[in-house]
Structure formats: C-alpha cells, structure tokens
Amino acid sequence: MNFLANRRVFRPQWRRRLPWALAAWLLAAPAPAAQDERQVDPSELRSLSIEELMEVEVTSASRRIERYSQTSASLTVVTNEDIRRSGVRSLPEALRLANSLHVARVDSRTWAISARGFNISTANKMLVMIDGRTVYTPVFSGVFWDVQDLPLDDVDRIEIIRGPGASLWGANAVNGVINIVTRSARDTQGGLVTAGAGTEERGFADVRHGGALGERTWYRVYGKYRYIDALALAAGGSAEDPLRTAQGGFRVDGDLSDRDAFTVQGDVYGGVIGELAREDTDVDGGNLLGRWSRRFSDVSSMELQVYWDRSSRIVPNQFIENRRDTWDLDFQHRLPVGQRHDVLWGVGYRVSSDDLDNAPQIVWEPTERTIELFSAFGQDEIALVPDRLRLTLGSKFEVHESTGLEVQPNIRLTWTPDDRKTFWGSVSRAVREPTRIDEDVRFLVGPVVFLQGSRDFESETVLAYEVGYRHQPRPAASVEIAAFYNVYDNLRSQEPPGNGAPFPITLANNLNAETYGAEARFNVQVAPWWRLYNSIAYLHKDLSLDPGSRDPTGGTGEGNDPDYRFTIRSFMDLPGRFELDAWLRHVDELPAPFVPAYTELDLHLGWRMNDRLELALVGQNLLHDQHREFPSPVPKEVQRGVYGKATWRF
C-alpha cells in the first residue's frame, strides 16, 4: 500500500542546522596523537578472486562467523569492491547489485526494496540492519531509505539473506534480512577524501580521518554531503524532487584485553527533499550504538549491544512525526554442549515511542504511542556427521503488545560432502507484526474517513520451504541455485463496510498468498584480469481472499513484482592501472499498476594514477533517456546520468 509514497516535512531553522553543525564539529575536532597508525594499502582495493569470495566470512545466517561457501542459506554478499567498481553512490543502489532483491526507484529518495515478492514503496517484509542496528520504522515496518546513508568507502560488505531469518533476528524478517556491515576503525586509518559531480549526481563529497588512541584503540570520524538531481516526469519536465543531505559520524574500536573488545559508534544527519508543487521536506536524526564482546574460546563467546536512535519527519498537511525514539538491548551467548552441539541463545528488548501530529488528510489515534517488544531465541546446531552433515533447530519467541506471544521456529539440514559443495533444505515460520498504519491511522477525504486501521489487526505469517545448492567446481568458478515455496496467511486486505456504503474501508487480515520461484548465480574468472558475475531470479505469486472478503483490490496493493530479473556484471583490470566495468540488468514488467519492462547498462572507467589518487568516470542508465521503475501517484522516471569522481588517500 502506497500511503507514504509522497512524504513532506519541515523543521525550525535551529533543528535544521544542528546535524550539519555537529557533522562539521566532528571533522574539525583535533585528533589525538596517533600511534601505530596504518595507511590504507592500495593493494587492498584489488578484486577478490572467485576462490577468495567463497572464503569470505559472514555472520548474518547464523549470528556467528562462518565461511560463505559453507553457509546453509540463500545468501548474497556485496563486497566493498563490488560497490566501488559498480559506481553506485547510495545504499539502495548498492543493494541492486544483489539481483535476488527487487530494487526499484520511486522518486529521488523513495525506494521499493524486497526479496521474493510483495514489493511496494513502503515494503514491510525485509529486516534491515546497519552494524546490528535495526532501522525499520514502526509506522509501516519498512525503511526510510533517504536517511540510511553511509560513506560507501567504509562499508565492508552487505549480506543479504533471501527467505525468513526470523528464528534468529525476529519479527519482520519475513522474506529476508539485509545486514550492512561497516569496516572496523582499525582498518580505516589515515585520511580519505572523495568528491565528484555530474548530471544526476549533481555534487557529493566524503571526508574521513582515522587514527589511534594508544596501542589498542582506534577511531575514525567522517562527514559527507550529497546533492541528487530531481527525477523526470513521464510527460517531460522536472519532477522537482531533488535530494540534499549531510551526515557526520564516528566509530571507535578497541581491545580491552586479549578476550574483550568493544565498539562505540554514532551518526547525525539532516536533509532537505524537494516536492512537486509543495514545500520542501526536511528530515533529521541521529543514533548511538555500543557493543561489548568476550571470546571464551574459538567456539564460545558472548556479546552485549545497546543502541539509541532518534528520527524526525514532518510532512506539512500530510504526515507529521515530530519525534521517534528507539532503544534496543540485545544479548547473545554461544557455547558448545558436548561434542556435537553448538548452542546459541539470547534475549532482547526494544521500545519505540513517537509523537505524531494530525493533518487534514491523515489522523492518528492516538497521536503518541510507545510500543514494546520482548524477545528470546535459542538455536542448536547438531553435528550428525562431523564436518559433513548438520541439523539446525531454533526458534525466536517475541511478545508484542498487540498480538501477544509469537513463535518463529526454523529447522534446517545441511550436507557438505566436501569443501566445495553445500546442500541445504529448511522449513521456517516468520511473522510481520502490526504497525501504526495497520492499527491507528485514519485517511480522510474532507470530513469523510475513507480508510482506517483496526486494533483487531493480526500478525501476517509465512511458512517457508527452501532447498539450495552451492558449488565451486574449480577455483575460478562458482554456482549457487535455490528454490523456494512460501505460504502466506493473514496478509493485509482492505474491507469495505457490510452495509452497502463504500466507506470507511478497514484494514483487515483476509488476504492469503502462495509464491514459488528460483534464483541462480554463476560466477567465473575468465582470465586473471577478467571476472563475470551472472544471476537470474524467477517468481510466481498467487493471491486469494478468505471467504466473505469484499476487498475490491484483490490484494494487488500489497505487492507489484516482476516475474523475473537478470543481471550480468563484468570486471576488467586493464594495463596501466585502468579498470573497465560493465553492469547490464533487466527487470520484467510490473503487473498492477502496469510498469513496462526495462533493460539498462552502467559503465565504470577507473584509473589509479598512483597509490593515493584514483579517478573514475561513471555512466548510469545509458540505454534510455529515462525509464520508469515503479508506480507512483505522479509517474516519475529515472534519467540517464554521467558523473566523475576523484578519491585521494593520505
């Protein structure tokens, strides 16, 4: 449902300038004398070989470190090198590198992002984390992507799980989990400046400095600015929705002892977003996170994390969120039990409070609300045959104030006949819990309520089945294939009153669905200087309503998904320290509302002049003057763009 497709906010002048001033202070603050300062080695920028990619360590699938090649889940890893050589400039664009995700741009700052179906501009079935900090909003269980921004040079990798991850990560990990992992401060020593400009990327600059605080503690501070041009109207002319944002932050990593480590990090941001024939939108916020971990042995550890997040978004005469504060506490403990059991358990508490104002078109009842979520999880990985066959049993237990106890179990069997092959199969259950829109909203046309939430709204559920296979037939090639079948119940429906009147329509849980599909990836190192990455995804979806439902939409408002997508990426390392990279992608048509299929091409030409200076020329969406990717009330289209970039390391 596209209730928040057009969001607008304003801010008093002092609150508008505060994040910018804080970001400037972080950059201007004098750095302590650095000890053991390590300059970034330009050789670290080289592309990983196929064999090295298979050995990348990941954490999202099991909440512990494991090799990607032996992960028993449909997992895609987008590396820092993938991001750099693709030429993308934002996290949503970087997620497009994972073809298993349907990523569509709605306007200059709104993105529809989901896996395995049910993609809308307020997509609500993907759990998104940045360094362990969950970033979804309880307004609609989705992500405001315009304020999720980071210096992309500091992103170590993005791990994308397709399929439920709720047994470990909890509610809203229905169709997948996105975990954005930034680099340790220890690995970002020295200075970095990135700046560029172009036709659509009108101007951007990132500044970062890292140093040491003694022998066992490292830090970095950063600031960034970005100005994105407006999209185009389908009939021609500007959509008048440019995006201007600034952000600053810091990270400190240290070793308290040989067994104990800590991380403290935070960000502040502010931005102004243009609107067609309306006042500009203004957003601001910040976050602070602390993490402590202790390692008892190679197979036993514990971790405690706490974070606070504040955000504000006000849409004049439409959506007014004066403040949202979120506190989150998470603890986990891993320990071996006997010779065959690897046990992981944990508890968590999350509380989010808001202060909303009513507007002529949208009314909230109540305007202030605090939502608490208590959780616990347990998982046992059982080695049926050591190093070859393992069974994983686990479940997440959550208590939500609206729906009570939710149980989200998972059973998974993994077979690794040798170090180059992994087979897996799983059955899991996940839920999406009610949001403010589901329960508390009233949409008005004049004095008439035409759509309203309901406190009887229940959690949406999915029962998911998956099988997969990952193989590295030779060091220079790898393949992964996964097939899935999902059964959804209690999905959101729109029910008119039973008295024959057209309004008010009430949100209910009378929609069901079945989806099935397959995803395949094939990577090959054609030559030491040339790598190819290919992937294809197919999805089929059937919707049905409960007997007695009168939903006139038939559920089509809950997702607009292409049947298939494919992508081909080519990385070439040329003589003279040049790089030439191409990215061809195709997205099938969207059925309702109809959006035509499109094929686009991006090119990246890079030149490392020396060990410190790198230049790049990037062309994006080169095959068409403009194209549409997702429906919106006022059709907006993405334009062809070219920009230049320089990166200096010192």
Side-chain angles (χ1 to χ4, degrees):
M1 301 172 64
N2 298 333
F3 298 135
L4 301 182
N6 292 313
R7 297 186 287 269
R8 302 181 41 77
V9 300
F10 63 89
R11 265 282 153 283
Q13 287 297 317
W14 70 271
R15 296 191 65 180
R16 174 180 295 180
R17 293 170 180 167
L18 177 61
W20 299 60
L22 288 175
W25 175 83
L26 284 169
L27 293 175
Q35 301 180 29
D36 190 30
E37 188 165 326
R38 187 178 72 90
Q39 296 290 337
V40 175
D41 186 348
S43 66
E44 296 176 359
L45 299 178
R46 68 179 178 84
S47 296
L48 295 176
S49 68
I50 302 299
E51 188 170 27
E52 289 170 322
L53 284 171
M54 298 297 287
E55 299 304 307
V56 167
E57 292 183 339
V58 296
T59 58
S60 302
S62 60
R63 290 183 75 139
R64 61 178 176 81
I65 297 174
E66 59 184 337
R67 287 190 301 164
Y68 164 67
S69 61
Q70 296 188 352
T71 301
S72 56
S74 297
L75 177 66
T76 302
V77 180
V78 177
T79 67
N80 179 274
E81 183 70 357
D82 291 328
I83 295 171
R84 185 184 70 86
R85 298 191 64 159
S86 67
V88 301
R89 292 300 310 160
S90 68
L91 289 176
E93 291 176 288
L95 292 174
R96 205 196 291 269
L97 293 165
N99 186 57
S100 50
L101 291 176
H102 177 208
V103 179
R105 193 172 183 182
V106 182
D107 53 37
S108 68
R109 89 302 193 180
T110 305
W111 295 79
I113 302 176
S114 190
R116 298 184 175 178
F118 299 97
N119 201 17
I120 52 180
S121 62
T122 52
N124 54 27
K125 293 178 175 59
M126 294 291 296
L127 181 67
V128 182
M129 298 179 291
I130 300 178
D131 287 329
R133 177 173 56 89
T134 302
V135 297
Y136 77 86
T137 170
V139 172
F140 61 94
S141 281
V143 177
F144 289 118
W145 286 105
D146 51 3
V147 296
Q148 308 306 328
D149 198 11
L150 291 169
L152 295 182
D153 292 291
D154 293 344
V155 174
D156 181 69
R157 67 190 184 276
I158 304 175
E159 302 175 12
I160 299 108
I161 298 174
R162 295 104 65 195
S167 64
L168 289 176
W169 299 109
N172 302 321
V174 175
N175 283 3
V177 176
I178 298 171
N179 187 16
I180 300 161
V181 182
T182 65
R183 302 168 70 186
S184 167
R186 182 175 185 171
D187 298 327
T188 54
Q189 298 292 280
L192 180 143
V193 176
T194 296
T199 58
E200 299 303 306
E201 293 283 348
R202 301 303 299 271
F204 58 87
D206 299 354
V207 181
R208 178 245 287 162
H209 177 73
L213 303 169
E215 296 182 354
R216 308 185 71 167
T217 303
W218 301 266
Y219 74 92
R220 71 166 173 261
V221 293
Y222 79 88
K224 64 172 302 183
Y225 172 78
R226 190 181 186 203
Y227 170 24
I228 306 173
D229 197 16
L231 269 65
L233 298 176
S238 172
E240 298 181 9
D241 60 347
L243 171 66
R244 299 174 179 88
T245 60
Q247 180 165 313
F250 74 97
R251 174 165 174 160
V252 178
D253 293 281
D255 297 328
L256 299 173
S257 69
D258 292 339
R259 297 190 301 168
D260 297 272
F262 74 92
T263 297
V264 179
Q265 62 188 84
D267 310 276
V268 291
Y269 62 83
V272 178
I273 307 165
E275 295 283 359
L276 185 64
R278 297 180 181 178
E279 297 179 33
D280 289 345
T281 289
D282 191 353
V283 294
D284 60 66
N287 61 80
L288 185 65
L289 177 146
R291 184 187 306 113
W292 166 62
S293 61
R294 164 166 285 196
R295 182 177 58 85
F296 303 107
S297 69
D298 290 341
V299 293
S300 181
S301 62
M302 61 181 291
E303 183 176 283
L304 177 65
Q305 174 181 281
V306 60
Y307 70 81
W308 165 75
D309 185 287
R310 166 166 285 192
S311 61
S312 179
R313 179 179 297 264
I314 301 175
V315 183
N317 299 320
Q318 188 176 1
F319 176 65
I320 305 172
E321 185 176 60
N322 298 303
R323 170 195 55 81
R324 174 169 300 281
D325 282 304
T326 300
W327 288 91
D328 188 281
L329 176 70
D330 184 84
F331 171 81
Q332 73 173 48
H333 181 205
R334 180 191 177 198
L335 71 159
V337 178
Q339 298 297 316
R340 295 180 178 270
H341 297 266
D342 190 345
V343 174
L344 184 70
W345 68 276
V347 295
Y349 172 69
R350 178 183 174 91
V351 58
S352 185
S353 62
D354 60 31
D355 176 13
L356 308 177
D357 283 349
N358 293 326
Q361 298 176 346
I362 301 178
V363 172
W364 302 92
E365 299 178 1
T367 57
E368 297 184 15
R369 185 176 175 187
T370 299
I371 299 176
E372 294 181 295
L373 183 67
F374 299 87
S375 66
F377 75 90
Q379 176 177 280
D380 186 7
E381 186 175 287
I382 307 166
L384 302 178
V385 178
D387 299 323
R388 290 293 176 257
L389 185 65
R390 64 186 190 268
L391 176 67
T392 304
L393 304 173
S395 184
K396 186 90 168 186
F397 305 89
E398 294 186 317
V399 178
H400 189 276
E401 65 176 53
S402 297
T403 60
L405 177 65
E406 298 284 3
V407 181
Q408 302 175 85
N410 170 69
I411 179 172
R412 188 174 299 268
L413 186 66
T414 309
W415 178 39
T416 53
D418 57 51
D419 291 341
R420 292 184 177 273
K421 300 186 187 73
T422 299
F423 298 83
W424 74 87
S426 67
V427 181
S428 54
R429 181 181 187 270
V431 305
R432 182 189 74 82
E433 292 167 340
T435 67
R436 289 281 256 151
I437 279 183
D438 299 319
E439 296 184 318
D440 302 331
V441 76
R442 304 290 184 270
F443 287 90
L444 308 179
V445 176
V448 177
V449 177
F450 80 94
L451 188 145
Q452 62 185 4
S454 169
R455 281 301 177 99
D456 294 327
F457 197 92
E458 302 175 6
S459 292
E460 300 181 342
T461 66
V462 63
L463 187 61
Y465 306 84
E466 181 183 88
V467 293
Y469 168 64
R470 185 181 296 113
H471 184 205
Q472 188 179 3
R474 55 191 180 88
S478 68
V479 62
E480 179 181 310
I481 302 173
F484 62 91
Y485 172 64
N486 294 347
V487 180
Y488 299 84
D489 194 15
N490 289 341
L491 297 178
R492 186 165 53 193
S493 63
Q494 304 179 39
E495 304 295 335
N499 56 10
F503 305 116
I505 295 172
T506 301
L507 299 179
N509 298 95
N510 295 324
L511 178 64
N512 311 295
E514 294 183 7
T515 65
Y516 60 83
E519 300 149 350
R521 292 187 294 128
F522 178 68
N523 304 329
V524 60
Q525 188 131 2
V526 181
W529 52 271
W530 185 19
R531 292 159 302 284
L532 290 175
Y533 302 88
N534 314 284
S535 61
I536 186 168
Y538 170 76
L539 170 72
H540 179 82
K541 180 173 65 178
D542 291 317
L543 303 175
S544 64
L545 294 168
D546 288 342
S549 172
R550 297 180 298 276
D551 186 342
T553 71
T556 57
E558 290 304 301
N560 200 8
D561 309 296
D563 287 343
Y564 68 91
R565 307 178 303 278
F566 74 78
T567 186
I568 302 173
R569 289 189 290 138
S570 169
F571 287 1
M572 289 185 177
D573 300 321
L574 303 179
R577 308 183 76 171
F578 281 91
E579 302 167 336
L580 179 60
D581 310 307
W583 178 14
L584 181 72
R585 61 186 184 274
H586 174 81
V587 179
D588 196 18
E589 65 184 36
L590 307 184
F594 176 78
V595 176
Y598 72 89
T599 303
E600 277 299 354
L601 173 69
D602 291 3
L603 293 176
H604 166 264
L605 176 64
W607 180 32
R608 299 176 189 170
M609 294 182 61
N610 51 50
D611 290 345
R612 296 180 179 272
L613 183 61
E614 177 184 352
L615 303 179
L617 180 64
V618 178
Q620 298 176 308
N621 305 302
L622 296 177
L623 299 185
H624 303 90
D625 290 338
Q626 59 188 63
H627 71 274
R628 192 179 181 194
E629 295 186 356
F630 211 76
S632 61
V634 178
K636 298 179 181 181
E637 299 189 347
V638 180
Q639 297 173 283
R640 177 188 293 124
V642 178
Y643 74 85
K645 181 184 74 168
T647 301
W648 178 39
R649 295 175 174 84
F650 57 94

